[in-house]
């Protein structure tokens, strides 16, 4: 599955580039798990593949994040995603757009 980063700083974190902005200072263990989660998302060919990975806990969000999805990085953090539909086949998701790393329940 194709992944795009809506926030360029998240792409830098994925690529291992040091980001100086304090908002993006995370422990190295979390960044390693973030990279592993992105690689897992890339390995899936469709949403059903991703749902089969229990560790991701892929779910559609409700409330003020309605229309977004999330996957777990670890028990404390999650990735907020947007599903971008394939314009030719409206039933398939073509791209997952990574929006943010979020502390779960905050």
């Amino acid at each position: 599955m194709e992944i795009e980063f809506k926030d360029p700083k998240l792409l830098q974190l994925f690529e291992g580039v040091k980001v100086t902005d304090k908002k993006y200072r995370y422990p190295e263990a979390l960044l390693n798990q973030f990279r592993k989660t992105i690689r897992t998302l890339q390995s899936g060919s469709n949403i059903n593949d991703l749902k089969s990975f229990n560790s991701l806990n892929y779910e559609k969000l409700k409330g003020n994040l309605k229309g977004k999805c999330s996957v777990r990085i670890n028990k404390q953090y999650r990735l907020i995603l947007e599903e971008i539909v394939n314009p030719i086949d409206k039933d398939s998701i073509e791209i997952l757009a990574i929006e943010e790393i979020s502390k779960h329940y905050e």
Side-chain angles (χ1 to χ4, degrees):
M1 180 156 301
E2 186 177 337
I3 303 293
E4 73 179 34
F5 294 86
K6 286 197 165 186
D7 184 339
K9 294 198 186 314
L10 291 177
L11 176 59
Q12 290 176 334
L13 289 175
F14 176 69
E15 293 173 338
V17 176
K18 188 167 179 114
V19 177
T20 57
D21 189 339
K22 288 183 180 182
K23 178 183 174 188
Y24 299 93
R25 288 194 187 157
Y26 298 106
E28 192 60 36
L30 175 67
L31 292 175
N32 289 334
Q33 192 63 34
F34 164 70
R35 292 179 192 110
K36 182 179 175 185
T37 302
I38 296 295
R39 287 191 294 274
T40 302
L41 293 172
Q42 289 172 326
S43 73
S45 60
N46 60 46
I47 295 300
N48 290 331
D49 285 352
L50 300 180
K51 289 180 180 179
S52 70
F53 289 103
N54 291 332
S55 63
L56 288 178
N57 195 33
Y58 190 93
E59 62 184 351
K60 296 202 182 260
L61 299 175
K62 302 173 188 171
N64 63 343
L65 292 174
K66 187 174 182 173
K68 310 283 186 207
C69 300
S70 74
V71 294
R72 286 207 181 137
I73 297 175
N74 62 22
K75 287 185 178 186
Q76 188 177 10
Y77 288 90
R78 65 183 178 172
L79 281 178
I80 307 296
L81 316 166
E82 180 182 351
E83 297 175 341
I84 300 175
V85 178
N86 184 332
I88 297 168
D89 179 6
K90 300 288 184 194
D91 292 331
S92 73
I93 305 301
E94 183 175 78
I95 301 171
L96 288 175
I98 310 298
E99 292 193 357
E100 68 176 300
I101 296 175
S102 167
K103 270 195 167 182
H104 201 56
Y105 302 117
E106 279 190 17

